[in-house]
Amino acid sequence: MSVRVSRLTRLLNMVPYFMANPGISKEEAAQELGVTVPNLMKDLDQLWVCGLPGYSPGDLIDLSFDEDTVTVVFSAGMDRPLRLTSTEATVLLVALRSLAEMPGMVDPTAAHGAIAKIEAAAGNAARVASGDRGDADGASAPAPESMVVTTVRSALQRDHALRLTYYSASRDTVSERVVDPIRSLLVDDQSYLQAWCRQAEGVRLFRFDRIDGAVELDEASVPPAQALGTDTHLELFSDDAALPQAHLRISAAHGWILDNYPMVPVQTLPDGSVEVTMRYGSLEWMARLVLGFGSAATVIGPTDLVETVRDRARAALAAYDALEV
């Protein structure tokens, strides 16, 4: 009989399961584990990059699932009960709490359930060491999950397409698009949905906190084959030749700007300042960005951006002069 469990629990049990059922077919295993075959393949891909500390190829779980059956080549110790030291339990609790707070990364109910089980097994030492005092009964209350995150996570689990209402910071616009979800990612402490955008006909990253609305569609997620199994689309800012390009000069004392914005250095000048280029989707947005840098940035081109920044700067100075009268 098919038993539906959380993905975390399923992943922890998959290696012992396949060791106990050598040569089982993917279809039969998916039915036993209560998942679809595509979701089973996602789980196997996830297990393939898990293993023992060191995480070199010889330390990772090794599975053979290229054919119709699944075989465990190296279990990395997953075939025996896990025994955690107090330090290991503390590290795991901290990691689980961090994941639970990242929207869309894991099912928060499953994460908090795992936390409760680890705390019960490890005792008060791990709970106190990890900084969780809990409530009067020692239980920690999970933070509520937004409807958008719940919808996106549901679509990922059920392999359904999504209709998103999304704010693009680079274009300063809100748009509606239909996407085929691929996976959720954590990049620079932000949660993203990686998906095939049918409107752009390409893989895009959608930051969870910029998704204004999400509707799970009653149709399958069908990203094209070239969009799967690659990390070539994980750059947060791609150089789209169709967008206009700003040419700026960043002063030597404000090099931090280059680390925080998608700018491409062109040359370093004798005074230490750096000439850069940067693509933008909205002239108004780019003008506001440059004006926010103050004297740290000088606009060299294009002409319409130079004129817009100059006009806005003059208007701001005039407004200050009016206040002084």
Side-chain angles (χ1 to χ4, degrees):
M1 180 172 60
S2 174
V3 179
R4 297 191 175 276
V5 293
S6 71
R7 190 181 186 214
L8 175 62
T9 304
R10 188 171 67 247
L11 286 170
L12 290 174
N13 285 282
M14 281 182 73
V15 173
Y17 170 81
F18 284 115
M19 292 190 72
N21 298 274
I24 190 172
S25 69
K26 296 173 184 175
E27 289 76 12
E28 186 178 355
Q31 184 178 5
E32 289 286 334
L33 294 169
V35 296
T36 63
V37 173
N39 277 341
L40 175 67
M41 297 306 295
K42 289 181 181 179
D43 288 345
L44 294 174
D45 285 332
Q46 182 72 51
L47 282 172
W48 218 8
V49 294
C50 298
L52 300 171
Y55 306 107
S56 62
D59 301 319
L60 300 178
I61 295 171
D62 192 2
L63 302 164
S64 174
F65 52 92
D66 291 334
E67 305 299 330
D68 184 57
T69 60
V70 181
T71 303
V72 178
V73 179
F74 176 61
S75 68
M78 291 288 287
D79 54 334
R80 58 181 182 271
L82 179 64
R83 295 289 185 266
L84 296 176
T85 66
S86 178
T87 300
E88 290 171 337
T90 298
V91 172
L92 185 56
L93 285 171
V94 172
L96 279 171
R97 289 197 182 93
S98 297
L99 281 174
E101 292 170 1
M102 293 293 177
M105 296 308 297
V106 296
D107 181 345
T109 302
H112 283 279
I115 289 170
K117 291 177 182 178
I118 293 170
E119 288 179 341
N124 290 331
R127 183 185 301 112
V128 173
S130 64
D132 180 26
R133 309 282 178 195
D135 57 23
D137 298 323
S140 56
E145 187 175 57
S146 72
M147 287 301 298
V148 165
V149 173
T150 301
T151 301
V152 172
R153 187 163 49 75
S154 173
L156 279 166
Q157 292 174 342
R158 292 151 53 101
D159 285 327
H160 282 179
L162 280 167
R163 178 177 289 109
L164 299 181
T165 303
Y166 187 73
Y167 169 68
S168 173
S170 61
R171 296 175 183 268
D172 195 23
T173 58
V174 175
S175 62
E176 186 172 287
R177 59 190 79 196
V178 175
V179 303
D180 297 294
I182 298 173
R183 55 179 169 166
S184 58
L185 297 164
L186 186 63
V187 182
D188 293 335
D189 295 327
Q190 291 289 347
S191 297
Y192 291 84
L193 169 68
Q194 184 186 28
W196 175 264
C197 177
R198 298 182 185 178
Q199 176 181 321
E201 296 187 344
V203 175
R204 296 292 186 268
L205 291 181
F206 301 97
R207 210 167 104 171
F208 272 84
D209 60 357
R210 291 178 182 165
I211 300 175
D212 293 334
V215 177
E216 183 176 357
L217 303 180
D218 190 21
E219 60 179 278
S221 172
V222 285
Q226 68 267 25
L228 303 174
T230 176
D231 290 339
T232 56
H233 304 284
L234 296 188
E235 289 294 329
L236 296 184
F237 303 98
S238 57
D239 194 18
D240 186 348
L243 296 177
Q245 188 177 61
H247 189 187
L248 312 173
R249 182 167 61 248
I250 307 299
S251 69
H254 295 82
W256 59 268
I257 294 176
L258 278 69
D259 297 327
N260 289 271
Y261 294 90
M263 297 179 176
V264 179
V266 175
Q267 64 173 330
T268 301
L269 303 177
D271 63 355
S273 61
V274 181
E275 288 190 7
V276 302
T277 59
M278 177 179 173
R279 298 284 182 185
Y280 60 94
S282 164
L283 178 63
E284 297 296 314
W285 180 88
M286 192 68 202
R288 289 202 305 271
L289 178 70
V290 174
L291 286 167
F293 293 148
S295 61
T298 302
V299 183
I300 301 174
T303 303
D304 58 348
L305 179 59
V306 172
E307 293 176 351
T308 300
V309 170
R310 181 185 294 123
D311 291 344
R312 289 197 170 195
R314 287 173 176 168
L317 290 173
Y320 278 113
D321 290 340
L323 290 174
E324 294 176 357
V325 175

